[in-house]
Amino acid sequence: MRFVIAVSLLASGAICVGAGVAEFLHAEYQQQSLNHEWHLANAAVPAAPRELPSGVVARMTFDRLRREVYVLGDEDPGNLKKGPVWLRVTSGFGGEGNTVVAGHRDTHFRFLKDVRLEDTFTVEDGKGQSLYRISGIRIVSPEDRSQLAPVGKAVVTLVTCYPFNAVGPAGRRMIIRAEVVSRVSTLISTN
């Protein structure tokens, strides 16, 4: 009987680990596919208008961390498995207000555990390219939504669960606030 219980527990553990690995690999595959689409669409003529892959609302590049992520809209609940999502009830990229982007701590936003105050990142969207500087990093309870409220200046707020090493649901949220440093309007076309 103990043998059957031990084998059952071992099999259950293997299934749980396998499911987690499969989810991580799927998330990485989705971002790599979007990256491939981006570079294929824009490789022919570098000076031509940029094209965003289908469903993508922005590309965020974190040079110091050597990461780029493609941000999708929140209209499809499955998009959060493909990449971080822009919450459409918040301001759009490139304009005044608070643009909120949420992503999973164990896939697309895992690298955020290494961000620092004053780090910069670029955002390319359908209207141009902006440079942002991280001005605040906070750990809050899930009920604290104060950092998601509208503001009178151009900011991007990144939201992910915390701590990064939690197994199962995480009890806190990491909120990263970044303020626009510069904005260059370009011709970027969306599909």
Side-chain angles (χ1 to χ4, degrees):
M1 183 65 173
R2 286 184 180 180
F3 177 75
V4 172
I5 292 172
V7 169
S8 297
L9 289 173
L10 187 59
S12 296
I15 289 170
C16 288
V17 168
V21 168
E23 185 173 323
F24 175 79
L25 292 175
H26 176 72
E28 285 298 308
Y29 171 77
Q30 291 295 325
Q31 285 289 302
Q32 288 300 318
S33 294
L34 292 170
N35 185 12
H36 182 69
E37 279 184 55
W38 170 272
H39 289 289
L40 272 181
N42 296 299
V45 185
R50 296 275 211 177
E51 273 190 40
L52 296 173
S54 179
V56 172
V57 295
R59 178 175 81 149
M60 301 173 75
T61 306
F62 297 77
D63 288 333
R64 186 183 70 78
L65 300 173
R66 295 187 206 130
R67 283 292 293 190
E68 70 179 13
V69 291
Y70 293 86
V71 180
L72 302 145
D74 67 355
E75 64 279 349
D76 179 353
N79 279 352
L80 198 53
K81 289 186 178 187
K82 298 175 185 175
V85 297
W86 162 51
L87 304 183
R88 290 185 185 270
V89 296
T90 65
S91 297
F93 287 97
E96 293 296 309
N98 189 5
T99 305
V100 179
V101 178
H104 287 302
R105 77 182 191 290
D106 51 359
T107 54
H108 307 104
F109 270 0
R110 182 160 190 77
F111 72 95
L112 291 179
K113 69 184 178 358
D114 298 319
V115 298
R116 301 180 198 146
L117 286 174
E118 302 297 319
D119 275 355
T120 59
F121 61 92
T122 57
V123 175
E124 289 182 72
D125 61 17
K127 299 175 204 114
Q129 182 174 341
S130 299
L131 178 67
Y132 290 87
R133 178 173 289 116
I134 295 176
S135 59
I137 301 171
R138 295 184 59 203
I139 307 301
V140 301
S141 71
E143 295 79 27
D144 182 353
R145 297 200 164 110
S146 61
Q147 294 293 303
L148 309 181
V151 295
K153 57 185 175 181
V155 299
V156 168
T157 302
L158 307 176
V159 180
T160 193
C161 292
Y162 184 87
F164 289 93
N165 62 355
V167 176
R172 315 266 307 153
R173 300 293 178 265
M174 177 184 241
I175 309 291
I176 298 166
R177 174 68 58 90
E179 298 180 10
V180 71
V181 174
S182 64
R183 174 100 182 133
V184 178
S185 293
T186 58
L187 297 172
I188 299 176
S189 61
T190 58
N191 292 349

